[in-house]
Amino acid sequence: MVKASDFKGKHFISMRDYSREQLEFILDTADEMVELEKKGSDACKGKVLASLFFEPSTRTRLSFETAMFRLGGNVTTVADPMTSSAKKGETFEDTILTVQNYADIIAMRHPDDDAALRAAKVAKIPYINGGSGTWEHPTQTMLDLHCMRYAKGRIDGNTIGMIGDLKHGRTVHSLLLALRHFDVKVKLISPDQLKMKTDVIEGTGGRIEISETNDLKSVLPELDVMYVTRVQKERFADPAEYEKVKDAYIVNADLLKKGKKDVVVMHPLPRINEIAADVDPLPNAWYFRQVKHGIYARMAIIGLALGVL
Ligand code: NCD
């Protein structure tokens, strides 16, 4: 039986670490946050979140910080690595050893794939992975699952298409690992150069049916959820390679006519060209509503790690 105290004082690093029961416990806690977000709360009164973002971010940083404010806590932040001692060559391990003297919990984003695992080794306070290179982005997955459950009523029973840059996209790595616990089918849709990493597919342990294709149209009629992602320009060593694949999939209103009428279109954002603006007014467009679930999910994750919920 999972209980709130199981999460107290713990890091939040990878979707590899959680069972279905634990994921559902966090999602149910996020449900409780919907009311709390409206009413306000002082559950985190006197607590400080250090938000350290060494890579660009709008939603993740702002929603971590807003989540802390909604719980009545305070925030100290480094949003621009150019203004911190990282610029002077300080390792992030040393940054964490320093910052944990100021704060009760850390949320961090870093360009290195191994940043979250390295940070977790040295942090004495809960460390939350807000994106670790191309590796994982587990809090995004909690908001994605929370939004999906809300939009479709349940996660089980759905056929979920992940579309775009499945190689470099950390959101889809964490999402696929989490979905291994649910009764879902997953269609991985990407250009051949941007296929899902094999270690992530192996990480699902063969528990769900996964198929791969580069042809979105061929699987579109089967999809209940389309999880569209940006081609991650900043991860390409050769700009010419990016140019070849950047517009591989463009989801527009015309294309959606070939899909299920009630298909839910999600995207972690930012979007570039992969979802056309003519999708925005359709009831299928969930990506901006999805953002709101980031507050609920992150309130739950922070509150559980601090042992105040
Ligand atoms: C994603 C990220 O940073 O991995 N954004 C986010 O956190 N919502 C997706 C992306 O940058 O493409």
Side-chain angles (χ1 to χ4, degrees), residues 41-129:
S41 158
D42 58 5
C44 284
K45 191 157 183 271
K47 308 271 188 206
V48 176
L49 165 80
S51 99
L52 308 176
F53 278 70
F54 297 108
E55 251 192 2
S57 170
T58 303
R59 278 148 292 266
T60 307
R61 185 172 68 82
L62 294 187
S63 68
F64 265 118
E65 296 180 0
T66 308
M68 190 57 168
F69 290 133
R70 296 286 191 214
L71 288 169
N74 289 302
V75 175
T76 182
T77 187
V78 174
D80 177 1
M82 302 303 275
T83 65
S84 85
S85 284
K87 180 70 184 140
K88 301 181 191 165
E90 183 169 66
T91 65
F92 69 78
E93 279 93 345
D94 283 2
T95 305
I96 285 164
L97 291 172
T98 302
V99 165
Q100 65 188 9
N101 292 286
Y102 311 142
D104 302 282
I105 184 164
I106 296 173
M108 189 170 108
R109 167 170 292 183
H110 196 280
D112 291 351
D113 280 17
D114 63 355
L117 285 172
R118 282 169 56 194
K121 283 207 184 103
V122 297
K124 297 266 185 305
I125 60 175
Y127 173 92
I128 305 180
N129 174 9

Coordinates of all heavy atoms in Angstrom, one line a residue, residues 41-129:
S41 N -2.9 27.6 -0.2 CA -2.5 26.7 0.9 C -1.2 27.2 1.5 O -0.5 28.0 0.9 CB -2.2 25.3 0.2 OG -1.4 24.6 1.0
D42 N -1.1 26.9 2.8 CA 0.2 27.2 3.4 C 1.0 26.0 3.8 O 1.8 26.0 4.7 CB 0.0 28.2 4.6 CG -0.9 27.7 5.6 OD1 -1.3 26.5 5.5 OD2 -1.2 28.4 6.6
A43 N 0.7 24.9 3.1 CA 1.4 23.6 3.4 C 2.9 23.8 3.4 O 3.6 23.1 4.1 CB 1.0 22.6 2.4
C44 N 3.5 24.6 2.5 CA 4.9 24.8 2.4 C 5.4 26.1 3.0 O 6.5 26.5 2.7 CB 5.4 24.7 0.9 SG 5.3 23.1 0.2
K45 N 4.6 26.6 3.9 CA 5.0 27.9 4.6 C 6.4 27.7 5.2 O 6.7 26.7 5.9 CB 4.0 28.2 5.7 CG 4.1 29.6 6.3 CD 2.8 30.0 6.9 CE 2.9 31.4 7.4 NZ 3.4 31.5 8.7
G46 N 7.3 28.7 5.0 CA 8.6 28.6 5.6 C 9.6 27.7 4.8 O 10.8 27.7 5.2
K47 N 9.1 27.1 3.8 CA 10.0 26.2 3.0 C 10.5 27.0 1.7 O 9.8 27.8 1.2 CB 9.3 24.9 2.5 CG 8.7 24.2 3.6 CD 9.6 23.2 4.2 CE 8.9 22.3 5.2 NZ 9.9 21.7 6.2
V48 N 11.7 26.6 1.2 CA 12.2 27.3 0.1 C 12.6 26.3 -1.0 O 13.2 25.2 -0.7 CB 13.5 28.1 0.5 CG1 14.2 28.7 -0.8 CG2 13.2 29.2 1.5
L49 N 12.1 26.6 -2.2 CA 12.5 25.8 -3.4 C 13.6 26.5 -4.1 O 13.5 27.7 -4.4 CB 11.3 25.7 -4.4 CG 11.6 25.2 -5.8 CD1 11.8 23.7 -5.9 CD2 10.5 25.6 -6.8
A50 N 14.7 25.8 -4.4 CA 15.8 26.4 -5.3 C 15.5 25.9 -6.7 O 15.5 24.7 -6.9 CB 17.2 26.0 -4.8
S51 N 15.3 26.8 -7.6 CA 15.0 26.4 -9.0 C 16.2 26.8 -9.8 O 16.5 28.0 -10.0 CB 13.7 26.9 -9.4 OG 13.8 28.0 -10.2
L52 N 17.0 25.8 -10.3 CA 18.2 26.0 -11.0 C 18.1 25.5 -12.4 O 18.0 24.3 -12.7 CB 19.3 25.2 -10.3 CG 19.5 25.4 -8.8 CD1 20.6 24.5 -8.2 CD2 19.8 26.8 -8.5
F53 N 18.0 26.5 -13.3 CA 17.8 26.1 -14.7 C 19.0 26.5 -15.6 O 19.2 27.7 -15.9 CB 16.4 26.7 -15.2 CG 15.3 25.8 -14.8 CD1 14.9 25.7 -13.4 CD2 14.6 25.0 -15.7 CE1 13.9 24.9 -13.0 CE2 13.6 24.1 -15.3 CZ 13.3 24.1 -14.0
F54 N 19.7 25.5 -16.0 CA 21.0 25.7 -16.7 C 20.7 25.5 -18.2 O 21.7 25.3 -19.0 CB 22.1 24.8 -16.2 CG 22.5 25.2 -14.8 CD1 22.1 24.3 -13.8 CD2 23.1 26.4 -14.5 CE1 22.5 24.7 -12.4 CE2 23.4 26.7 -13.2 CZ 23.1 25.9 -12.2
E55 N 19.4 25.4 -18.6 CA 19.0 25.3 -20.0 C 17.8 26.1 -20.1 O 17.0 26.3 -19.1 CB 18.7 23.8 -20.3 CG 19.6 23.1 -21.2 CD 19.0 21.8 -21.7 OE1 17.9 21.5 -21.4 OE2 19.7 21.1 -22.4
P56 N 17.4 26.6 -21.3 CA 16.2 27.4 -21.5 C 15.0 26.7 -21.0 O 14.9 25.5 -21.2 CB 16.1 27.7 -23.0 CG 17.5 27.5 -23.5 CD 18.2 26.5 -22.6
S57 N 14.1 27.4 -20.4 CA 12.8 26.9 -20.0 C 11.8 28.0 -19.8 O 12.2 29.1 -19.3 CB 13.0 26.1 -18.6 OG 11.7 25.8 -18.1
T58 N 10.6 27.8 -20.1 CA 9.5 28.7 -19.8 C 8.6 28.0 -18.8 O 8.5 28.3 -17.6 CB 8.7 29.2 -21.0 OG1 9.6 29.8 -21.9 CG2 7.6 30.2 -20.6
R59 N 7.9 27.0 -19.3 CA 6.9 26.3 -18.5 C 7.4 25.6 -17.3 O 6.8 25.6 -16.2 CB 6.2 25.3 -19.4 CG 5.1 25.8 -20.3 CD 5.0 25.1 -21.6 NE 6.2 25.3 -22.3 CZ 6.3 26.2 -23.3 NH1 5.2 27.0 -23.6 NH2 7.4 26.4 -23.9
T60 N 8.5 24.8 -17.5 CA 8.9 23.9 -16.4 C 9.3 24.8 -15.2 O 8.9 24.6 -14.1 CB 10.0 23.0 -16.8 OG1 9.6 22.3 -18.0 CG2 10.4 22.0 -15.7
R61 N 10.2 25.8 -15.4 CA 10.6 26.6 -14.3 C 9.5 27.4 -13.7 O 9.3 27.4 -12.5 CB 11.7 27.6 -14.8 CG 12.3 28.4 -13.6 CD 13.5 29.2 -14.1 NE 13.2 30.3 -15.0 CZ 12.7 31.5 -14.6 NH1 12.5 31.8 -13.3 NH2 12.4 32.4 -15.5
L62 N 8.7 28.1 -14.6 CA 7.6 28.9 -14.0 C 6.5 28.0 -13.3 O 6.0 28.4 -12.3 CB 6.9 29.7 -15.1 CG 7.8 30.8 -15.8 CD1 6.9 31.6 -16.7 CD2 8.4 31.7 -14.7
S63 N 6.3 26.8 -13.8 CA 5.3 26.0 -13.1 C 5.8 25.4 -11.8 O 5.1 25.3 -10.8 CB 4.7 25.0 -14.0 OG 5.6 24.0 -14.3
F64 N 7.1 25.1 -11.7 CA 7.7 24.7 -10.4 C 7.6 25.8 -9.4 O 7.2 25.6 -8.3 CB 9.2 24.4 -10.6 CG 9.5 22.9 -10.8 CD1 10.1 22.4 -11.9 CD2 9.1 22.0 -9.8 CE1 10.4 21.1 -12.1 CE2 9.4 20.6 -10.0 CZ 10.0 20.2 -11.2
E65 N 7.9 27.0 -9.9 CA 7.9 28.2 -9.0 C 6.5 28.5 -8.6 O 6.2 28.8 -7.4 CB 8.7 29.3 -9.6 CG 10.1 29.0 -9.9 CD 11.0 30.1 -10.5 OE1 10.4 31.2 -10.8 OE2 12.2 29.9 -10.8
T66 N 5.6 28.5 -9.5 CA 4.2 28.8 -9.2 C 3.6 27.7 -8.3 O 2.9 28.1 -7.3 CB 3.3 28.9 -10.5 OG1 4.0 29.8 -11.4 CG2 1.9 29.4 -10.2
A67 N 4.0 26.5 -8.5 CA 3.5 25.4 -7.6 C 3.9 25.7 -6.2 O 3.1 25.5 -5.3 CB 4.0 24.1 -8.1
M68 N 5.2 26.1 -6.0 CA 5.7 26.4 -4.7 C 4.9 27.5 -4.1 O 4.6 27.5 -2.9 CB 7.2 26.6 -4.7 CG 7.9 26.7 -3.4 SD 7.6 25.1 -2.4 CE 8.7 25.4 -1.1
F69 N 4.7 28.6 -4.9 CA 3.9 29.7 -4.4 C 2.5 29.3 -3.9 O 2.0 29.8 -2.9 CB 3.9 30.9 -5.4 CG 5.2 31.6 -5.6 CD1 5.7 31.8 -6.9 CD2 6.0 32.0 -4.6 CE1 6.9 32.4 -7.2 CE2 7.2 32.6 -4.8 CZ 7.7 32.8 -6.1
R70 N 1.9 28.5 -4.8 CA 0.5 28.1 -4.5 C 0.4 27.3 -3.2 O -0.6 27.2 -2.5 CB -0.1 27.2 -5.6 CG -0.2 28.0 -6.9 CD -1.4 29.0 -6.9 NE -1.7 29.5 -8.2 CZ -2.1 30.7 -8.4 NH1 -2.3 31.6 -7.5 NH2 -2.3 31.1 -9.7
L71 N 1.6 26.6 -2.8 CA 1.6 25.9 -1.6 C 2.1 26.8 -0.4 O 2.4 26.2 0.7 CB 2.5 24.7 -1.7 CG 2.0 23.5 -2.6 CD1 3.1 22.5 -2.9 CD2 0.8 22.8 -1.9
G72 N 2.3 28.0 -0.7 CA 2.6 29.0 0.4 C 4.1 29.0 0.7 O 4.5 29.6 1.7
G73 N 4.9 28.4 -0.2 CA 6.4 28.4 0.0 C 7.1 29.6 -0.8 O 6.4 30.4 -1.4
N74 N 8.4 29.6 -0.6 CA 9.2 30.6 -1.3 C 10.1 30.0 -2.3 O 10.4 28.8 -2.3 CB 10.0 31.4 -0.3 CG 9.1 32.3 0.5 OD1 8.4 33.2 0.0 ND2 9.1 32.1 1.8
V75 N 10.7 30.8 -3.2 CA 11.5 30.3 -4.3 C 12.8 31.2 -4.4 O 12.7 32.4 -4.3 CB 10.8 30.4 -5.6 CG1 11.6 30.0 -6.8 CG2 9.5 29.5 -5.6
T76 N 13.9 30.5 -4.6 CA 15.1 31.2 -4.9 C 15.6 30.6 -6.3 O 15.5 29.4 -6.5 CB 16.2 31.2 -3.8 OG1 17.3 31.9 -4.2 CG2 16.6 29.8 -3.5
T77 N 16.0 31.5 -7.2 CA 16.2 30.9 -8.5 C 17.5 31.4 -9.3 O 18.0 32.5 -9.0 CB 14.9 31.3 -9.4 OG1 15.0 30.6 -10.6 CG2 14.9 32.8 -9.6
V78 N 18.0 30.4 -10.1 CA 19.0 30.8 -11.1 C 18.3 30.4 -12.4 O 18.2 29.2 -12.8 CB 20.3 30.0 -10.9 CG1 21.2 30.3 -12.1 CG2 21.0 30.4 -9.6
A79 N 17.9 31.4 -13.2 CA 17.2 31.2 -14.4 C 18.2 31.3 -15.6 O 17.9 30.9 -16.7 CB 16.0 32.1 -14.6
D80 N 19.3 32.0 -15.4 CA 20.2 32.3 -16.4 C 21.6 31.8 -16.0 O 22.2 32.5 -15.2 CB 20.2 33.8 -16.7 CG 21.2 34.2 -17.8 OD1 21.9 33.3 -18.3 OD2 21.3 35.4 -18.1
P81 N 22.1 30.7 -16.6 CA 23.4 30.2 -16.1 C 24.5 31.2 -16.3 O 25.5 31.2 -15.5 CB 23.7 29.0 -17.0 CG 22.6 29.1 -18.1 CD 21.5 29.9 -17.6
M82 N 24.4 32.2 -17.2 CA 25.4 33.2 -17.4 C 25.6 34.1 -16.1 O 26.6 34.7 -15.9 CB 25.0 34.2 -18.5 CG 24.8 33.5 -19.8 SD 26.2 32.5 -20.3 CE 27.2 33.7 -21.1
T83 N 24.6 34.1 -15.2 CA 24.7 34.9 -14.0 C 25.1 34.1 -12.8 O 25.2 34.7 -11.7 CB 23.4 35.6 -13.7 OG1 22.4 34.6 -13.4 CG2 22.8 36.5 -14.9
S84 N 25.3 32.8 -12.9 CA 25.7 32.0 -11.8 C 27.2 31.6 -11.9 O 27.8 31.8 -12.9 CB 24.8 30.8 -11.7 OG 25.3 29.7 -12.5
S85 N 27.7 31.0 -10.8 CA 29.1 30.6 -10.9 C 29.4 29.4 -11.8 O 30.5 29.1 -12.0 CB 29.6 30.3 -9.4 OG 29.8 31.5 -8.7
A86 N 28.3 28.8 -12.3 CA 28.5 27.8 -13.3 C 29.3 28.4 -14.5 O 30.2 27.7 -15.1 CB 27.2 27.3 -13.8
K87 N 29.1 29.6 -14.7 CA 29.8 30.4 -15.8 C 31.3 30.4 -15.5 O 32.1 30.5 -16.4 CB 29.2 31.8 -15.9 CG 29.7 32.7 -16.9 CD 29.4 32.2 -18.3 CE 30.1 33.2 -19.3 NZ 30.6 32.5 -20.5
K88 N 31.6 30.5 -14.2 CA 33.1 30.5 -13.8 C 33.7 29.1 -13.8 O 34.9 29.0 -13.4 CB 33.2 31.1 -12.4 CG 32.6 32.5 -12.2 CD 32.8 33.0 -10.8 CE 32.1 34.3 -10.5 NZ 32.0 34.5 -9.1
G89 N 32.9 28.1 -14.1 CA 33.5 26.8 -14.2 C 33.1 25.9 -13.0 O 33.6 24.8 -12.8
E90 N 32.2 26.4 -12.1 CA 31.8 25.6 -10.9 C 31.1 24.3 -11.4 O 30.2 24.4 -12.3 CB 30.9 26.4 -10.0 CG 30.5 25.6 -8.7 CD 29.9 26.5 -7.7 OE1 28.8 27.0 -7.9 OE2 30.5 26.7 -6.6
T91 N 31.4 23.2 -10.9 CA 30.6 22.0 -11.3 C 29.2 22.1 -10.7 O 29.0 22.7 -9.6 CB 31.3 20.7 -10.8 OG1 31.2 20.7 -9.3 CG2 32.7 20.6 -11.2
F92 N 28.3 21.4 -11.3 CA 26.9 21.5 -10.7 C 26.9 20.7 -9.4 O 26.0 21.0 -8.5 CB 25.8 21.1 -11.6 CG 25.7 19.7 -12.1 CD1 25.2 18.8 -11.2 CD2 26.2 19.3 -13.3 CE1 25.1 17.4 -11.6 CE2 26.1 18.0 -13.7 CZ 25.6 17.1 -12.8
E93 N 27.8 19.7 -9.1 CA 27.8 19.1 -7.8 C 28.1 20.1 -6.8 O 27.5 20.2 -5.7 CB 28.9 18.0 -7.8 CG 28.5 16.7 -8.4 CD 28.8 16.5 -9.9 OE1 29.2 17.6 -10.5 OE2 28.8 15.4 -10.4
D94 N 29.1 21.0 -7.0 CA 29.4 22.0 -6.1 C 28.3 23.0 -5.9 O 28.0 23.5 -4.8 CB 30.7 22.8 -6.5 CG 32.0 22.0 -6.2 OD1 31.8 20.8 -5.7 OD2 33.1 22.5 -6.4
T95 N 27.6 23.3 -7.0 CA 26.5 24.2 -6.9 C 25.4 23.6 -6.0 O 24.9 24.3 -5.1 CB 25.8 24.5 -8.3 OG1 26.9 24.9 -9.2 CG2 24.7 25.5 -8.3
I96 N 25.2 22.4 -6.1 CA 24.2 21.7 -5.3 C 24.6 21.7 -3.8 O 23.8 22.0 -2.9 CB 23.9 20.3 -5.8 CG1 23.0 20.5 -7.0 CG2 23.1 19.4 -4.8 CD1 22.9 19.3 -7.9
L97 N 25.9 21.4 -3.6 CA 26.4 21.4 -2.2 C 26.2 22.7 -1.5 O 26.1 22.8 -0.3 CB 27.8 20.9 -2.2 CG 28.1 19.4 -2.5 CD1 29.6 19.1 -2.7 CD2 27.4 18.5 -1.5
T98 N 26.3 23.8 -2.4 CA 26.1 25.1 -1.9 C 24.6 25.4 -1.6 O 24.2 25.8 -0.5 CB 26.7 26.1 -2.9 OG1 28.1 25.8 -3.1 CG2 26.5 27.6 -2.4
V99 N 23.8 25.2 -2.7 CA 22.4 25.6 -2.7 C 21.6 24.9 -1.6 O 20.7 25.5 -1.0 CB 21.8 25.4 -4.1 CG1 20.3 25.5 -4.1 CG2 22.4 26.5 -5.0
Q100 N 22.0 23.7 -1.3 CA 21.2 23.0 -0.3 C 21.4 23.6 1.1 O 20.6 23.3 2.0 CB 21.6 21.5 -0.3 CG 23.0 21.2 0.2 CD 23.2 19.7 -0.1 OE1 22.4 19.0 -0.7 NE2 24.4 19.2 0.4
N101 N 22.3 24.5 1.3 CA 22.3 25.3 2.5 C 21.3 26.4 2.6 O 21.0 26.9 3.7 CB 23.7 25.9 2.7 CG 24.8 24.9 2.9 OD1 24.9 24.3 4.0 ND2 25.6 24.6 1.9
Y102 N 20.7 26.7 1.4 CA 19.7 27.8 1.4 C 18.3 27.3 1.3 O 17.4 28.0 1.6 CB 19.9 28.7 0.2 CG 21.3 29.2 -0.1 CD1 21.8 29.3 -1.4 CD2 22.2 29.6 0.9 CE1 23.1 29.7 -1.7 CE2 23.5 30.0 0.7 CZ 23.9 30.1 -0.6 OH 25.2 30.5 -0.9
A103 N 18.1 26.1 0.8 CA 16.8 25.7 0.3 C 16.4 24.3 1.0 O 17.3 23.6 1.6 CB 16.8 25.5 -1.2
D104 N 15.1 23.9 0.8 CA 14.6 22.7 1.4 C 14.5 21.6 0.3 O 14.3 20.4 0.5 CB 13.3 22.9 2.0 CG 13.4 23.9 3.2 OD1 13.9 23.5 4.2 OD2 13.1 25.1 2.9
I105 N 14.4 22.1 -1.0 CA 14.2 21.2 -2.1 C 14.8 21.9 -3.4 O 14.8 23.2 -3.4 CB 12.7 20.9 -2.3 CG1 12.4 19.9 -3.4 CG2 11.9 22.2 -2.4 CD1 11.0 19.3 -3.3
I106 N 15.3 21.1 -4.3 CA 15.9 21.7 -5.5 C 15.2 21.1 -6.7 O 14.9 19.9 -6.8 CB 17.4 21.2 -5.6 CG1 18.2 21.8 -4.5 CG2 18.0 21.6 -7.0 CD1 19.7 21.3 -4.4
A107 N 14.8 22.0 -7.7 CA 14.4 21.6 -9.0 C 15.4 22.1 -10.0 O 15.8 23.2 -10.0 CB 13.0 22.2 -9.3
M108 N 16.0 21.2 -10.8 CA 17.0 21.6 -11.7 C 16.9 21.0 -13.1 O 16.4 19.9 -13.3 CB 18.4 21.1 -11.1 CG 19.6 21.6 -11.8 SD 21.1 21.3 -11.0 CE 21.8 20.1 -12.1
R109 N 17.3 21.9 -14.0 CA 17.4 21.4 -15.4 C 18.9 21.6 -15.9 O 19.5 22.7 -15.6 CB 16.5 22.3 -16.3 CG 16.8 22.1 -17.8 CD 15.7 22.7 -18.7 NE 14.5 22.0 -18.5 CZ 13.4 22.2 -19.2 NH1 13.4 23.2 -20.1 NH2 12.3 21.5 -19.1
H110 N 19.4 20.7 -16.6 CA 20.8 20.7 -17.0 C 21.0 20.0 -18.4 O 20.3 19.0 -18.6 CB 21.7 20.0 -15.9 CG 23.1 20.4 -16.0 ND1 23.9 19.8 -16.9 CD2 23.9 21.3 -15.3 CE1 25.2 20.3 -16.8 NE2 25.1 21.2 -15.8
P111 N 21.9 20.5 -19.2 CA 22.1 19.9 -20.5 C 22.7 18.5 -20.5 O 22.6 17.8 -21.5 CB 23.0 20.9 -21.3 CG 23.6 21.8 -20.2 CD 22.7 21.8 -19.1
D112 N 23.4 18.1 -19.4 CA 24.0 16.8 -19.4 C 23.1 15.7 -19.2 O 22.2 15.7 -18.3 CB 25.1 16.7 -18.4 CG 26.3 17.7 -18.7 OD1 26.3 18.2 -19.8 OD2 27.1 17.8 -17.8
D113 N 23.2 14.6 -20.0 CA 22.3 13.4 -19.8 C 22.4 12.9 -18.4 O 21.5 12.4 -17.8 CB 22.7 12.3 -20.8 CG 22.1 12.6 -22.2 OD1 21.7 13.8 -22.4 OD2 22.0 11.7 -23.0
D114 N 23.6 12.9 -17.8 CA 23.8 12.2 -16.5 C 23.6 13.2 -15.3 O 23.9 12.8 -14.2 CB 25.2 11.5 -16.4 CG 26.3 12.5 -16.6 OD1 26.1 13.7 -16.8 OD2 27.5 12.0 -16.4
A115 N 23.2 14.4 -15.6 CA 23.1 15.5 -14.6 C 22.3 15.0 -13.4 O 22.7 15.2 -12.2 CB 22.6 16.8 -15.1
A116 N 21.1 14.5 -13.7 CA 20.2 14.1 -12.6 C 20.7 13.0 -11.7 O 20.7 13.1 -10.5 CB 18.8 13.7 -13.2
L117 N 21.3 12.0 -12.3 CA 21.9 10.9 -11.5 C 23.1 11.4 -10.7 O 23.2 11.0 -9.5 CB 22.3 9.8 -12.4 CG 21.1 8.9 -12.9 CD1 21.6 7.9 -14.0 CD2 20.4 8.2 -11.8
R118 N 23.9 12.3 -11.3 CA 25.1 12.8 -10.5 C 24.6 13.7 -9.4 O 25.1 13.6 -8.3 CB 26.0 13.6 -11.5 CG 26.8 12.7 -12.3 CD 27.5 13.4 -13.5 NE 28.3 14.5 -13.0 CZ 28.8 15.5 -13.7 NH1 28.6 15.5 -15.0 NH2 29.6 16.5 -13.2
A119 N 23.6 14.5 -9.7 CA 23.1 15.5 -8.6 C 22.5 14.7 -7.5 O 22.7 15.0 -6.3 CB 22.1 16.4 -9.3
A120 N 21.8 13.6 -7.8 CA 21.1 12.9 -6.8 C 22.1 12.2 -5.8 O 21.8 12.0 -4.6 CB 20.2 11.8 -7.4
K121 N 23.3 12.0 -6.3 CA 24.3 11.3 -5.5 C 24.8 12.3 -4.4 O 25.2 11.8 -3.3 CB 25.5 10.9 -6.3 CG 25.2 9.6 -7.1 CD 26.6 8.9 -7.4 CE 26.3 7.7 -8.3 NZ 26.7 7.9 -9.7
V122 N 24.8 13.6 -4.7 CA 25.4 14.5 -3.7 C 24.3 15.3 -2.9 O 24.6 15.7 -1.8 CB 26.4 15.5 -4.4 CG1 27.6 14.8 -5.0 CG2 25.7 16.4 -5.4
A123 N 23.1 15.4 -3.5 CA 22.1 16.2 -2.8 C 21.6 15.6 -1.5 O 21.2 14.4 -1.5 CB 20.9 16.5 -3.7
K124 N 21.6 16.3 -0.4 CA 21.1 15.8 0.9 C 19.6 16.3 1.1 O 19.0 15.9 2.1 CB 21.9 16.4 2.0 CG 23.4 16.1 2.0 CD 23.7 14.8 2.8 CE 25.1 14.5 3.0 NZ 25.8 14.3 1.6
I125 N 19.1 17.1 0.2 CA 17.7 17.5 0.2 C 17.1 16.9 -1.1 O 17.8 16.6 -2.0 CB 17.6 19.0 0.3 CG1 18.2 19.8 -0.8 CG2 18.2 19.5 1.7 CD1 17.9 21.3 -0.8
P126 N 15.7 16.8 -1.1 CA 15.1 16.3 -2.3 C 15.5 17.0 -3.6 O 15.4 18.3 -3.6 CB 13.6 16.4 -2.0 CG 13.5 16.4 -0.5 CD 14.7 17.1 -0.1
Y127 N 15.9 16.3 -4.6 CA 16.3 16.8 -5.8 C 15.3 16.4 -6.9 O 15.1 15.2 -7.1 CB 17.7 16.3 -6.2 CG 18.2 16.7 -7.6 CD1 18.9 17.8 -7.8 CD2 17.8 15.9 -8.7 CE1 19.3 18.2 -9.0 CE2 18.2 16.3 -9.9 CZ 19.0 17.4 -10.1 OH 19.4 17.8 -11.4
I128 N 14.8 17.3 -7.6 CA 13.8 17.0 -8.6 C 14.4 17.3 -10.0 O 14.8 18.4 -10.3 CB 12.5 17.8 -8.4 CG1 12.0 17.5 -7.0 CG2 11.4 17.4 -9.4 CD1 10.7 18.3 -6.6
N129 N 14.3 16.3 -10.8 CA 14.9 16.4 -12.2 C 13.9 17.2 -13.1 O 12.8 16.7 -13.4 CB 15.1 15.0 -12.7 CG 15.6 15.0 -14.2 OD1 15.8 16.0 -14.8 ND2 15.6 13.8 -14.8

